Amino acid sequence: MELNYLTAHELREKLQSREISSTDITQSVLGRIKSKDKDINSYIRIEEKSALQSAREVDNHITGGGNIEDFTGIPVGIKDNICTRGITTTCASRILKSYIPIYDATIIKKLKKNNYILPGKLNMDEFAMGSSNENSHFGPVKNPWDKTRVPGGSSGGPAASVAAGEAICSLGSDTGGSIRQPAALCGVVGFKPTYGMVSRYGLIAFASSLDQIGPFSRDMEDCAALLNVICGHDPCDSTSINGEVPDYKNFLKDDIRGLKIGVPRELMVEGIDPEVKSSVESALKMAGDMGASVEEISIPNLEYALNVYYIIAPSEASSNLSRFDGVRYGFRDKSAKTLRKMYQLTRAQGFGEEVKRRIMIGTYCLSAGYYDAYYEKALKVRTLIINDFNKAFSKYDVLISPTSPTTAFKLGERTEDPLTMYLSDICTIPANLAGLPAVSIPAGLSSEGLPIGLQIIGNTLREDNVIRTAYSLEKAIGFKARPKI
Ligand code: GLN
């Protein structure tokens, strides 16, 4: 039995019946990492010794009659922009290469409470800026379905590790699609919760008004279970929502009779690969057959979503990343003779090309004279987009679209052309601008054998509708394929 390819809920049952131990699971996952990750490169750091140690402790806990909760004894990989106490957290950047946090992110504390296993820290685009994982200081991640292709980004490691059986589940962050797009390209489930549902305390900030942590898994059941663990109010994050946290597993209902689905025309047109489009259309047909109503709608201001995002996200990034100055964190150029020179040399060498590009765009947009023309205007258009969504959700329960306009593209294909790279975020960015919950689930394989992702967007705090739709479609689609690696 390949334990590394079972889901967390299947493994939990086997732990409960004492059929297997956490050590068995952990060894299976670590063995897979050892044999495959040289090729895939989804891990920046592998925590072999401490993972096995934790697994032994969990096994003792279980033998001693301790509770087996969701993710007790289960390896969950963590994106390397989420702080883990005593374990390097690099953001895949040279500037943080040797940064060891002195505290755990809130979500890590929550996972530890359930006695999860940390197999290691996962690769990503530097500071979560990118859509292909090619912007990592530690080298690109390869797509397990075809190693000449990208896994998507910025959470390429979290997506590829789950697809390749190198983790049971994982956690990533999503600022403009960084959970959903790589999930789509790697054939796994990726969920971005409502902004504010998951604490960002200990998530190294990219664009604070957009960033949100969320799960990767192989099915909706694990996704809901992981949401149960990580969601909830945290006084350490001022944007955290102080309200009830539902039991997300209650929304795993295979029933969408009467559900009203809107399909935004703007996300189904230009540049969408015909195979992606037909996959989404066939899922919509299934939804219709199950008793949901499906209607094409228009969200006119989506036309501006990319432009708005690529002003707001870099502006926030330029401010957030000013703290990496060689004084407080990580890398410092020691040859500099003056403080100013030290800042310059440290940042010039510490940051990669894409991060510098974003800092420059953001600094420009925020500078005197341009602030009104760019940043402030972008904020206004963001409000128009939010209003458009509000209008749509007064009529529809969920919106459905492709997650990514294309399947996984070739490594190197878009690196010379940032604009083409930015365009691949067209379907995912709107949910971040409006703070909405959204998931990507596998919808099938293309004729080249590459995964296609389907996106379901819900209204603020209406994870219930998103989960119910995703669960029902997951059952109807029956995606069981696995990469042959
Ligand atoms: N691909 C988008 C970007 O490069 C989104 C990244 C993300 O969600 N972190 O900004």
PDB file of all heavy atoms in Angstrom, residues 79 125 127-132 135 153-155 173-181 206 211 309-310 313 354 358 421-422 424-425 428-429 432, ligand 1:
ATOM      1  N   LYS A  79       4.563  25.892   2.995  1.00  0.00           N
ATOM      2  CA  LYS A  79       5.222  26.836   2.080  1.00  0.00           C
ATOM      3  C   LYS A  79       6.253  27.652   2.855  1.00  0.00           C
ATOM      4  O   LYS A  79       6.003  28.034   4.013  1.00  0.00           O
ATOM      5  CB  LYS A  79       4.155  27.752   1.463  1.00  0.00           C
ATOM      6  CG  LYS A  79       4.660  28.668   0.348  1.00  0.00           C
ATOM      7  CD  LYS A  79       3.500  29.450  -0.265  1.00  0.00           C
ATOM      8  CE  LYS A  79       3.942  30.373  -1.388  1.00  0.00           C
ATOM      9  NZ  LYS A  79       2.819  31.122  -1.985  1.00  0.00           N
ATOM     10  N   ASP A 125       7.823  30.763  -5.566  1.00  0.00           N
ATOM     11  CA  ASP A 125       8.448  31.924  -6.197  1.00  0.00           C
ATOM     12  C   ASP A 125       8.912  32.862  -5.087  1.00  0.00           C
ATOM     13  O   ASP A 125       8.232  33.004  -4.061  1.00  0.00           O
ATOM     14  CB  ASP A 125       7.425  32.655  -7.077  1.00  0.00           C
ATOM     15  CG  ASP A 125       7.208  31.972  -8.409  1.00  0.00           C
ATOM     16  OD1 ASP A 125       8.187  31.816  -9.158  1.00  0.00           O
ATOM     17  OD2 ASP A 125       6.057  31.600  -8.707  1.00  0.00           O
ATOM     18  N   PHE A 127       9.358  35.446  -2.510  1.00  0.00           N
ATOM     19  CA  PHE A 127       8.369  36.322  -1.864  1.00  0.00           C
ATOM     20  C   PHE A 127       6.966  36.161  -2.464  1.00  0.00           C
ATOM     21  O   PHE A 127       6.160  37.078  -2.453  1.00  0.00           O
ATOM     22  CB  PHE A 127       8.804  37.794  -1.879  1.00  0.00           C
ATOM     23  CG  PHE A 127       9.857  38.080  -0.848  1.00  0.00           C
ATOM     24  CD1 PHE A 127      11.195  38.160  -1.197  1.00  0.00           C
ATOM     25  CD2 PHE A 127       9.517  38.226   0.492  1.00  0.00           C
ATOM     26  CE1 PHE A 127      12.178  38.377  -0.234  1.00  0.00           C
ATOM     27  CE2 PHE A 127      10.489  38.447   1.466  1.00  0.00           C
ATOM     28  CZ  PHE A 127      11.823  38.522   1.105  1.00  0.00           C
ATOM     29  N   ALA A 128       6.696  34.990  -3.015  1.00  0.00           N
ATOM     30  CA  ALA A 128       5.380  34.643  -3.573  1.00  0.00           C
ATOM     31  C   ALA A 128       5.029  35.470  -4.815  1.00  0.00           C
ATOM     32  O   ALA A 128       3.863  35.645  -5.146  1.00  0.00           O
ATOM     33  CB  ALA A 128       4.269  34.756  -2.522  1.00  0.00           C
ATOM     34  N   MET A 129       6.068  35.977  -5.500  1.00  0.00           N
ATOM     35  CA  MET A 129       5.826  36.784  -6.692  1.00  0.00           C
ATOM     36  C   MET A 129       6.115  35.961  -7.933  1.00  0.00           C
ATOM     37  O   MET A 129       7.276  35.749  -8.290  1.00  0.00           O
ATOM     38  CB  MET A 129       6.704  38.031  -6.663  1.00  0.00           C
ATOM     39  CG  MET A 129       6.351  38.939  -5.510  1.00  0.00           C
ATOM     40  SD  MET A 129       7.531  40.265  -5.346  1.00  0.00           S
ATOM     41  CE  MET A 129       7.040  40.922  -3.753  1.00  0.00           C
ATOM     42  N   GLY A 130       5.055  35.483  -8.569  1.00  0.00           N
ATOM     43  CA  GLY A 130       5.240  34.711  -9.783  1.00  0.00           C
ATOM     44  C   GLY A 130       4.107  33.738  -9.997  1.00  0.00           C
ATOM     45  O   GLY A 130       3.279  33.521  -9.109  1.00  0.00           O
ATOM     46  N   SER A 131       4.069  33.147 -11.188  1.00  0.00           N
ATOM     47  CA  SER A 131       3.002  32.215 -11.543  1.00  0.00           C
ATOM     48  C   SER A 131       3.581  30.913 -12.072  1.00  0.00           C
ATOM     49  O   SER A 131       2.857  30.111 -12.669  1.00  0.00           O
ATOM     50  CB  SER A 131       2.107  32.829 -12.620  1.00  0.00           C
ATOM     51  OG  SER A 131       1.722  34.127 -12.254  1.00  0.00           O
ATOM     52  N   SER A 132       4.879  30.691 -11.869  1.00  0.00           N
ATOM     53  CA  SER A 132       5.498  29.504 -12.472  1.00  0.00           C
ATOM     54  C   SER A 132       6.535  28.840 -11.585  1.00  0.00           C
ATOM     55  O   SER A 132       7.093  27.818 -11.954  1.00  0.00           O
ATOM     56  CB  SER A 132       6.180  29.904 -13.778  1.00  0.00           C
ATOM     57  OG  SER A 132       7.304  30.729 -13.496  1.00  0.00           O
ATOM     58  N   ASN A 135      10.850  31.806 -10.215  1.00  0.00           N
ATOM     59  CA  ASN A 135      11.544  32.898  -9.523  1.00  0.00           C
ATOM     60  C   ASN A 135      12.050  32.484  -8.147  1.00  0.00           C
ATOM     61  O   ASN A 135      12.015  33.267  -7.222  1.00  0.00           O
ATOM     62  CB  ASN A 135      10.612  34.103  -9.330  1.00  0.00           C
ATOM     63  CG  ASN A 135      10.037  34.616 -10.631  1.00  0.00           C
ATOM     64  OD1 ASN A 135      10.665  34.499 -11.668  1.00  0.00           O
ATOM     65  ND2 ASN A 135       8.836  35.187 -10.577  1.00  0.00           N
ATOM     66  N   GLY A 153       2.503  28.861  -9.928  1.00  0.00           N
ATOM     67  CA  GLY A 153       3.121  29.575  -8.803  1.00  0.00           C
ATOM     68  C   GLY A 153       2.142  30.529  -8.173  1.00  0.00           C
ATOM     69  O   GLY A 153       1.036  30.701  -8.664  1.00  0.00           O
ATOM     70  N   SER A 154       2.478  31.114  -7.076  1.00  0.00           N
ATOM     71  CA  SER A 154       3.794  30.978  -6.500  1.00  0.00           C
ATOM     72  C   SER A 154       3.961  29.736  -5.630  1.00  0.00           C
ATOM     73  O   SER A 154       5.083  29.353  -5.317  1.00  0.00           O
ATOM     74  CB  SER A 154       4.119  32.207  -5.661  1.00  0.00           C
ATOM     75  OG  SER A 154       3.236  32.290  -4.550  1.00  0.00           O
ATOM     76  N   SER A 155       2.841  29.048  -5.267  1.00  0.00           N
ATOM     77  CA  SER A 155       2.978  27.871  -4.402  1.00  0.00           C
ATOM     78  C   SER A 155       3.243  26.614  -5.222  1.00  0.00           C
ATOM     79  O   SER A 155       2.508  25.627  -5.119  1.00  0.00           O
ATOM     80  CB  SER A 155       1.704  27.673  -3.564  1.00  0.00           C
ATOM     81  OG  SER A 155       1.298  28.858  -2.938  1.00  0.00           O
ATOM     82  N   SER A 173       0.020  30.115   0.256  1.00  0.00           N
ATOM     83  CA  SER A 173      -0.604  31.432   0.405  1.00  0.00           C
ATOM     84  C   SER A 173      -1.065  31.890  -0.968  1.00  0.00           C
ATOM     85  O   SER A 173      -0.512  31.472  -1.979  1.00  0.00           O
ATOM     86  CB  SER A 173       0.391  32.433   0.983  1.00  0.00           C
ATOM     87  OG  SER A 173       1.483  32.574   0.097  1.00  0.00           O
ATOM     88  N   ASP A 174      -2.094  32.740  -0.970  1.00  0.00           N
ATOM     89  CA  ASP A 174      -2.722  33.154  -2.221  1.00  0.00           C
ATOM     90  C   ASP A 174      -2.961  34.655  -2.167  1.00  0.00           C
ATOM     91  O   ASP A 174      -3.751  35.132  -1.360  1.00  0.00           O
ATOM     92  CB  ASP A 174      -4.051  32.379  -2.366  1.00  0.00           C
ATOM     93  CG  ASP A 174      -4.697  32.508  -3.733  1.00  0.00           C
ATOM     94  OD1 ASP A 174      -4.787  33.646  -4.233  1.00  0.00           O
ATOM     95  OD2 ASP A 174      -5.127  31.475  -4.293  1.00  0.00           O
ATOM     96  N   THR A 175      -2.249  35.380  -3.027  1.00  0.00           N
ATOM     97  CA  THR A 175      -2.347  36.839  -3.077  1.00  0.00           C
ATOM     98  C   THR A 175      -3.077  37.257  -4.347  1.00  0.00           C
ATOM     99  O   THR A 175      -3.805  38.250  -4.376  1.00  0.00           O
ATOM    100  CB  THR A 175      -0.931  37.451  -3.039  1.00  0.00           C
ATOM    101  OG1 THR A 175      -0.258  36.951  -1.882  1.00  0.00           O
ATOM    102  CG2 THR A 175      -0.960  38.966  -3.012  1.00  0.00           C
ATOM    103  N   GLY A 176      -2.852  36.453  -5.413  1.00  0.00           N
ATOM    104  CA  GLY A 176      -3.520  36.729  -6.687  1.00  0.00           C
ATOM    105  C   GLY A 176      -3.818  35.424  -7.414  1.00  0.00           C
ATOM    106  O   GLY A 176      -4.064  35.415  -8.614  1.00  0.00           O
ATOM    107  N   GLY A 177      -3.735  34.317  -6.670  1.00  0.00           N
ATOM    108  CA  GLY A 177      -4.011  33.031  -7.309  1.00  0.00           C
ATOM    109  C   GLY A 177      -2.996  31.957  -6.959  1.00  0.00           C
ATOM    110  O   GLY A 177      -3.052  30.839  -7.467  1.00  0.00           O
ATOM    111  N   SER A 178      -2.080  32.283  -6.077  1.00  0.00           N
ATOM    112  CA  SER A 178      -0.941  31.401  -5.795  1.00  0.00           C
ATOM    113  C   SER A 178      -1.277  30.067  -5.166  1.00  0.00           C
ATOM    114  O   SER A 178      -0.407  29.206  -5.079  1.00  0.00           O
ATOM    115  CB  SER A 178       0.064  32.108  -4.897  1.00  0.00           C
ATOM    116  OG  SER A 178       0.912  32.861  -5.699  1.00  0.00           O
ATOM    117  N   ILE A 179      -2.511  29.868  -4.705  1.00  0.00           N
ATOM    118  CA  ILE A 179      -2.919  28.527  -4.297  1.00  0.00           C
ATOM    119  C   ILE A 179      -3.663  27.872  -5.458  1.00  0.00           C
ATOM    120  O   ILE A 179      -3.375  26.744  -5.861  1.00  0.00           O
ATOM    121  CB  ILE A 179      -3.830  28.572  -3.045  1.00  0.00           C
ATOM    122  CG1 ILE A 179      -3.019  29.024  -1.816  1.00  0.00           C
ATOM    123  CG2 ILE A 179      -4.468  27.203  -2.800  1.00  0.00           C
ATOM    124  CD1 ILE A 179      -3.837  29.213  -0.551  1.00  0.00           C
ATOM    125  N   ARG A 180      -4.630  28.601  -6.013  1.00  0.00           N
ATOM    126  CA  ARG A 180      -5.528  27.995  -6.989  1.00  0.00           C
ATOM    127  C   ARG A 180      -4.852  27.664  -8.317  1.00  0.00           C
ATOM    128  O   ARG A 180      -5.096  26.603  -8.893  1.00  0.00           O
ATOM    129  CB  ARG A 180      -6.736  28.925  -7.210  1.00  0.00           C
ATOM    130  CG  ARG A 180      -7.639  29.020  -5.984  1.00  0.00           C
ATOM    131  CD  ARG A 180      -8.477  30.270  -6.008  1.00  0.00           C
ATOM    132  NE  ARG A 180      -7.676  31.457  -5.722  1.00  0.00           N
ATOM    133  CZ  ARG A 180      -7.941  32.683  -6.150  1.00  0.00           C
ATOM    134  NH1 ARG A 180      -8.994  32.891  -6.924  1.00  0.00           N
ATOM    135  NH2 ARG A 180      -7.164  33.704  -5.825  1.00  0.00           N
ATOM    136  N   GLN A 181      -4.013  28.558  -8.821  1.00  0.00           N
ATOM    137  CA  GLN A 181      -3.402  28.321 -10.132  1.00  0.00           C
ATOM    138  C   GLN A 181      -2.438  27.119 -10.102  1.00  0.00           C
ATOM    139  O   GLN A 181      -2.552  26.239 -10.943  1.00  0.00           O
ATOM    140  CB  GLN A 181      -2.747  29.624 -10.633  1.00  0.00           C
ATOM    141  CG  GLN A 181      -2.185  29.549 -12.042  1.00  0.00           C
ATOM    142  CD  GLN A 181      -0.658  29.431 -12.013  1.00  0.00           C
ATOM    143  OE1 GLN A 181      -0.073  29.120 -10.989  1.00  0.00           O
ATOM    144  NE2 GLN A 181      -0.030  29.690 -13.169  1.00  0.00           N
ATOM    145  N   PHE A 206       3.438  39.766   1.542  1.00  0.00           N
ATOM    146  CA  PHE A 206       3.689  40.216   0.171  1.00  0.00           C
ATOM    147  C   PHE A 206       2.789  41.442  -0.037  1.00  0.00           C
ATOM    148  O   PHE A 206       3.273  42.572  -0.051  1.00  0.00           O
ATOM    149  CB  PHE A 206       3.404  39.056  -0.787  1.00  0.00           C
ATOM    150  CG  PHE A 206       3.201  39.392  -2.247  1.00  0.00           C
ATOM    151  CD1 PHE A 206       3.464  40.647  -2.767  1.00  0.00           C
ATOM    152  CD2 PHE A 206       2.756  38.402  -3.130  1.00  0.00           C
ATOM    153  CE1 PHE A 206       3.275  40.926  -4.123  1.00  0.00           C
ATOM    154  CE2 PHE A 206       2.565  38.669  -4.478  1.00  0.00           C
ATOM    155  CZ  PHE A 206       2.812  39.930  -4.970  1.00  0.00           C
ATOM    156  N   ASP A 211      -3.220  38.978   0.746  1.00  0.00           N
ATOM    157  CA  ASP A 211      -2.654  37.679   1.169  1.00  0.00           C
ATOM    158  C   ASP A 211      -3.639  36.863   1.991  1.00  0.00           C
ATOM    159  O   ASP A 211      -4.283  37.387   2.897  1.00  0.00           O
ATOM    160  CB  ASP A 211      -1.421  37.889   2.085  1.00  0.00           C
ATOM    161  CG  ASP A 211      -0.264  38.603   1.415  1.00  0.00           C
ATOM    162  OD1 ASP A 211      -0.226  38.641   0.177  1.00  0.00           O
ATOM    163  OD2 ASP A 211       0.612  39.125   2.152  1.00  0.00           O
ATOM    164  N   TYR A 309      -4.673  44.940  -9.872  1.00  0.00           N
ATOM    165  CA  TYR A 309      -3.820  44.081  -9.043  1.00  0.00           C
ATOM    166  C   TYR A 309      -2.354  44.456  -9.205  1.00  0.00           C
ATOM    167  O   TYR A 309      -1.613  44.536  -8.221  1.00  0.00           O
ATOM    168  CB  TYR A 309      -4.025  42.614  -9.435  1.00  0.00           C
ATOM    169  CG  TYR A 309      -3.072  41.659  -8.736  1.00  0.00           C
ATOM    170  CD1 TYR A 309      -3.382  41.145  -7.474  1.00  0.00           C
ATOM    171  CD2 TYR A 309      -1.864  41.271  -9.325  1.00  0.00           C
ATOM    172  CE1 TYR A 309      -2.509  40.277  -6.826  1.00  0.00           C
ATOM    173  CE2 TYR A 309      -0.989  40.408  -8.684  1.00  0.00           C
ATOM    174  CZ  TYR A 309      -1.318  39.914  -7.439  1.00  0.00           C
ATOM    175  OH  TYR A 309      -0.445  39.061  -6.799  1.00  0.00           O
ATOM    176  N   TYR A 310      -1.928  44.663 -10.448  1.00  0.00           N
ATOM    177  CA  TYR A 310      -0.504  44.935 -10.680  1.00  0.00           C
ATOM    178  C   TYR A 310      -0.102  46.375 -10.349  1.00  0.00           C
ATOM    179  O   TYR A 310       1.007  46.794 -10.614  1.00  0.00           O
ATOM    180  CB  TYR A 310      -0.069  44.467 -12.077  1.00  0.00           C
ATOM    181  CG  TYR A 310       0.234  42.970 -12.030  1.00  0.00           C
ATOM    182  CD1 TYR A 310      -0.665  42.021 -12.482  1.00  0.00           C
ATOM    183  CD2 TYR A 310       1.413  42.516 -11.422  1.00  0.00           C
ATOM    184  CE1 TYR A 310      -0.406  40.651 -12.373  1.00  0.00           C
ATOM    185  CE2 TYR A 310       1.681  41.161 -11.305  1.00  0.00           C
ATOM    186  CZ  TYR A 310       0.784  40.232 -11.778  1.00  0.00           C
ATOM    187  OH  TYR A 310       1.052  38.883 -11.644  1.00  0.00           O
ATOM    188  N   ALA A 313      -0.786  45.291  -5.660  1.00  0.00           N
ATOM    189  CA  ALA A 313       0.118  44.285  -5.085  1.00  0.00           C
ATOM    190  C   ALA A 313       1.572  44.787  -5.034  1.00  0.00           C
ATOM    191  O   ALA A 313       2.205  44.725  -3.975  1.00  0.00           O
ATOM    192  CB  ALA A 313      -0.012  42.956  -5.821  1.00  0.00           C
ATOM    193  N   GLU A 354      12.532  39.512 -10.393  1.00  0.00           N
ATOM    194  CA  GLU A 354      11.103  39.797 -10.354  1.00  0.00           C
ATOM    195  C   GLU A 354      10.748  40.626  -9.124  1.00  0.00           C
ATOM    196  O   GLU A 354       9.943  41.563  -9.209  1.00  0.00           O
ATOM    197  CB  GLU A 354      10.285  38.490 -10.375  1.00  0.00           C
ATOM    198  CG  GLU A 354       8.765  38.684 -10.401  1.00  0.00           C
ATOM    199  CD  GLU A 354       8.249  39.426 -11.629  1.00  0.00           C
ATOM    200  OE1 GLU A 354       8.907  39.385 -12.691  1.00  0.00           O
ATOM    201  OE2 GLU A 354       7.185  40.075 -11.518  1.00  0.00           O
ATOM    202  N   ARG A 358       8.973  44.332  -9.052  1.00  0.00           N
ATOM    203  CA  ARG A 358       7.775  44.702  -8.296  1.00  0.00           C
ATOM    204  C   ARG A 358       8.048  45.880  -7.372  1.00  0.00           C
ATOM    205  O   ARG A 358       7.217  46.768  -7.209  1.00  0.00           O
ATOM    206  CB  ARG A 358       7.278  43.513  -7.461  1.00  0.00           C
ATOM    207  CG  ARG A 358       7.038  42.241  -8.228  1.00  0.00           C
ATOM    208  CD  ARG A 358       5.683  42.206  -8.878  1.00  0.00           C
ATOM    209  NE  ARG A 358       5.543  40.955  -9.619  1.00  0.00           N
ATOM    210  CZ  ARG A 358       4.610  40.047  -9.387  1.00  0.00           C
ATOM    211  NH1 ARG A 358       3.714  40.236  -8.451  1.00  0.00           N
ATOM    212  NH2 ARG A 358       4.553  38.951 -10.118  1.00  0.00           N
ATOM    213  N   MET A 421       3.268  36.450 -18.530  1.00  0.00           N
ATOM    214  CA  MET A 421       3.191  35.742 -17.255  1.00  0.00           C
ATOM    215  C   MET A 421       2.062  36.328 -16.409  1.00  0.00           C
ATOM    216  O   MET A 421       1.262  35.598 -15.836  1.00  0.00           O
ATOM    217  CB  MET A 421       4.536  35.879 -16.535  1.00  0.00           C
ATOM    218  CG  MET A 421       4.698  34.991 -15.337  1.00  0.00           C
ATOM    219  SD  MET A 421       4.924  33.267 -15.780  1.00  0.00           S
ATOM    220  CE  MET A 421       6.705  33.121 -15.756  1.00  0.00           C
ATOM    221  N   TYR A 422       1.983  37.652 -16.333  1.00  0.00           N
ATOM    222  CA  TYR A 422       0.944  38.303 -15.519  1.00  0.00           C
ATOM    223  C   TYR A 422      -0.459  37.938 -16.020  1.00  0.00           C
ATOM    224  O   TYR A 422      -1.393  37.787 -15.243  1.00  0.00           O
ATOM    225  CB  TYR A 422       1.102  39.832 -15.518  1.00  0.00           C
ATOM    226  CG  TYR A 422       2.383  40.343 -14.886  1.00  0.00           C
ATOM    227  CD1 TYR A 422       2.765  41.684 -15.002  1.00  0.00           C
ATOM    228  CD2 TYR A 422       3.226  39.503 -14.166  1.00  0.00           C
ATOM    229  CE1 TYR A 422       3.938  42.166 -14.421  1.00  0.00           C
ATOM    230  CE2 TYR A 422       4.399  39.964 -13.594  1.00  0.00           C
ATOM    231  CZ  TYR A 422       4.753  41.304 -13.731  1.00  0.00           C
ATOM    232  OH  TYR A 422       5.914  41.763 -13.167  1.00  0.00           O
ATOM    233  N   SER A 424      -1.552  35.241 -17.054  1.00  0.00           N
ATOM    234  CA  SER A 424      -2.057  33.922 -16.627  1.00  0.00           C
ATOM    235  C   SER A 424      -2.837  33.996 -15.313  1.00  0.00           C
ATOM    236  O   SER A 424      -3.443  33.022 -14.895  1.00  0.00           O
ATOM    237  CB  SER A 424      -0.913  32.903 -16.536  1.00  0.00           C
ATOM    238  OG  SER A 424       0.136  33.388 -15.754  1.00  0.00           O
ATOM    239  N   ASP A 425      -2.824  35.164 -14.662  1.00  0.00           N
ATOM    240  CA  ASP A 425      -3.552  35.316 -13.389  1.00  0.00           C
ATOM    241  C   ASP A 425      -4.964  35.876 -13.553  1.00  0.00           C
ATOM    242  O   ASP A 425      -5.645  36.133 -12.562  1.00  0.00           O
ATOM    243  CB  ASP A 425      -2.787  36.268 -12.459  1.00  0.00           C
ATOM    244  CG  ASP A 425      -1.393  35.783 -12.150  1.00  0.00           C
ATOM    245  OD1 ASP A 425      -1.184  34.561 -12.174  1.00  0.00           O
ATOM    246  OD2 ASP A 425      -0.517  36.618 -11.878  1.00  0.00           O
ATOM    247  N   THR A 428      -7.902  34.286 -11.497  1.00  0.00           N
ATOM    248  CA  THR A 428      -7.798  34.127 -10.035  1.00  0.00           C
ATOM    249  C   THR A 428      -7.761  35.445  -9.275  1.00  0.00           C
ATOM    250  O   THR A 428      -8.224  35.511  -8.129  1.00  0.00           O
ATOM    251  CB  THR A 428      -6.528  33.314  -9.675  1.00  0.00           C
ATOM    252  OG1 THR A 428      -5.412  33.864 -10.369  1.00  0.00           O
ATOM    253  CG2 THR A 428      -6.703  31.858 -10.022  1.00  0.00           C
ATOM    254  N   ILE A 429      -7.199  36.485  -9.889  1.00  0.00           N
ATOM    255  CA  ILE A 429      -7.008  37.763  -9.196  1.00  0.00           C
ATOM    256  C   ILE A 429      -8.306  38.405  -8.675  1.00  0.00           C
ATOM    257  O   ILE A 429      -8.325  38.945  -7.559  1.00  0.00           O
ATOM    258  CB  ILE A 429      -6.214  38.727 -10.124  1.00  0.00           C
ATOM    259  CG1 ILE A 429      -4.727  38.394  -9.995  1.00  0.00           C
ATOM    260  CG2 ILE A 429      -6.497  40.186  -9.837  1.00  0.00           C
ATOM    261  CD1 ILE A 429      -3.835  39.173 -10.926  1.00  0.00           C
ATOM    262  N   ASN A 432      -9.243  37.733  -5.051  1.00  0.00           N
ATOM    263  CA  ASN A 432      -8.392  38.388  -4.051  1.00  0.00           C
ATOM    264  C   ASN A 432      -8.767  39.852  -3.883  1.00  0.00           C
ATOM    265  O   ASN A 432      -8.819  40.369  -2.769  1.00  0.00           O
ATOM    266  CB  ASN A 432      -6.913  38.298  -4.447  1.00  0.00           C
ATOM    267  CG  ASN A 432      -6.425  36.870  -4.544  1.00  0.00           C
ATOM    268  OD1 ASN A 432      -6.652  36.214  -5.560  1.00  0.00           O
ATOM    269  ND2 ASN A 432      -5.793  36.374  -3.494  1.00  0.00           N
TER     270      ASN A 432
HETATM  271  N1  GLN B   1       0.992  35.248  -9.787  1.00  0.00           N
HETATM  272  C1  GLN B   1       0.594  36.368  -9.009  1.00  0.00           C
HETATM  273  C2  GLN B   1       1.761  37.295  -8.798  1.00  0.00           C
HETATM  274  O1  GLN B   1       2.780  37.057  -9.349  1.00  0.00           O
HETATM  275  C3  GLN B   1       0.004  35.926  -7.714  1.00  0.00           C
HETATM  276  C4  GLN B   1       0.998  35.528  -6.702  1.00  0.00           C
HETATM  277  C5  GLN B   1       0.385  35.130  -5.403  1.00  0.00           C
HETATM  278  O2  GLN B   1      -0.801  34.864  -5.294  1.00  0.00           O
HETATM  279  N2  GLN B   1       1.210  35.147  -4.377  1.00  0.00           N
HETATM  280  O3  GLN B   1       1.682  38.257  -8.119  1.00  0.00           O
END
